[in-house]
Amino acid sequence: LAQPRAKADDTAAVTLEQLCEAFKNRANVKPASVAAYGQTIDSLTRFMGATRPIASIGVEDADAWRQWIATDTEGNSRRKKKRTTDDNRLSVATQAKRTHHARQIFNKAVEWGWLSKNPLARLKAGSQSNAARNFYVDMVTTEALIDAAPGIEWRTLIGLTRLAGLRCPSEVGLLRWQDVDFANGRLTVRSPKTEHHGAEYAIRFVPISPRLRSLLADAFDAAADGETLVVPMASPKRKNLRKALTTIIERAGRKPWPRRFQN
């Protein structure tokens, strides 16, 4: 009724669930990437079976799984969230991302000597960009959001994302007052998302526009004594920024757009 536990020297008995757990535990990535891997793992284990030995998974299984994630309209992960496509299928970009992650997982099985070859190696991932979710936020809308914001921190956060292109919350939450060079008109931005590519990708310098300067000056005057962060509420401990931004967008009389902060 149950597959035997895999022993260290019994790679033939390693299950898909054990492979996925080992992959997650050994992955040196950001929390957001771990969450993305989790969605792929959910779909793999639900379709192929968590207790299935990975040695029994073949190319046919890989093709069937790839077709399934492209055609399924019910959702196959623990996170039951309505999809943005009209027919409730995964977007082409999401299919590509899951395929890419699944190949990574099985590549590790080959590297660790658990498999002789990757059954998913020949799956075509495709492009992970989704132009349908792009939205241009013009300056009239930006000013409306700033006016509708509940406080100086939110006004500054909106200014930093729209006027300086900072990622939120990862880059906004790390920005310190010592990174704001009013004299030379530039920000020193630290990027956790790209730092693993090398030192030259760990920081970048962003010009401070006149409108952003006024927002930063107001935030500086309002900052508590000893506060080092420009937008403390965007620090890693803060949650539900997206939900709060949606409320601000609606308060400004606009319809919420996809990928609120990215756009």
Side-chain angles (χ1 to χ4, degrees):
L1 296 177
Q3 294 289 338
R5 293 181 182 274
K7 298 178 182 178
D9 59 348
D10 187 9
T11 57
V14 174
T15 66
L16 180 58
E17 184 176 43
Q18 290 169 329
L19 167 61
C20 293
E21 281 300 310
F23 178 84
K24 284 197 301 182
N25 292 337
R26 302 177 189 182
N28 183 23
V29 294
K30 306 296 181 184
S33 297
V34 173
Y37 287 140
Q39 294 168 1
T40 300
I41 289 169
D42 278 350
S43 65
L44 284 171
T45 55
R46 285 173 184 260
F47 183 77
M48 298 183 183
T51 59
R52 183 171 178 181
I54 58 174
S56 70
I57 297 174
V59 175
E60 301 91 341
D61 300 302
D63 289 340
W65 171 78
R66 182 65 177 85
Q67 182 180 25
W68 181 60
I69 64 171
T71 57
D72 172 60
T73 59
E74 300 299 323
N76 50 65
S77 68
R78 298 185 185 93
R79 185 187 181 195
K80 297 299 181 183
K81 180 182 177 183
K82 183 174 175 56
R83 295 166 177 172
T84 57
T85 53
D86 293 336
D87 57 4
N88 205 40
R89 297 183 184 184
L90 290 175
S91 69
V92 174
T94 302
Q95 294 174 38
K97 180 178 290 186
R98 292 196 182 179
T99 302
H100 177 69
H101 288 166
R103 287 195 317 219
Q104 283 183 291
I105 292 170
F106 278 84
N107 276 338
K108 284 298 181 182
V110 175
E111 290 180 18
W112 296 333
W114 294 0
L115 288 175
S116 60
K117 60 181 180 180
N118 184 349
L120 280 67
R122 299 185 66 180
L123 289 184
K124 301 297 184 183
S127 173
Q128 296 184 36
S129 63
N130 187 356
R133 301 190 70 197
N134 291 344
F135 181 85
Y136 179 69
V137 182
D138 58 34
M139 280 306 301
V140 173
T141 299
T142 302
E143 290 293 349
L145 297 186
I146 292 173
D147 291 340
I152 186 59
E153 283 195 67
W154 264 108
R155 292 196 291 273
T156 307
L157 184 150
I158 292 168
L160 289 170
T161 54
R162 176 59 181 84
L163 304 173
L166 269 64
R167 296 181 178 93
C168 184
S170 62
E171 294 177 349
V172 174
L174 290 177
L175 190 68
R176 299 169 297 180
W177 285 115
Q178 68 186 56
D179 301 322
V180 182
D181 186 348
F182 284 108
N184 293 304
R186 73 177 189 179
L187 304 174
T188 300
V189 180
R190 290 166 176 78
S191 179
K193 188 177 180 66
T194 57
E195 64 184 2
H196 64 281
H197 291 298
E200 67 271 26
Y201 296 95
I203 64 170
R204 68 181 186 278
F205 300 100
V206 180
I208 300 175
S209 67
R211 182 67 179 101
L212 180 58
R213 176 184 288 272
S214 67
L215 292 170
L216 289 170
D218 290 343
F220 183 79
D221 291 340
D225 291 342
E227 179 59 67
T228 60
L229 295 176
V230 177
V231 187
M233 71 175 190
S235 66
K237 296 180 180 179
R238 176 63 188 253
K239 304 294 182 183
N240 292 328
L241 287 176
R242 184 179 183 277
K243 183 178 180 181
L245 178 61
T246 301
T247 300
I248 294 171
I249 294 171
E250 292 172 341
R251 187 184 299 154
R254 266 59 175 185
K255 181 180 178 181
W257 50 80
R259 300 193 304 179
R260 312 279 195 270
F261 288 111
Q262 292 94 324
N263 280 314

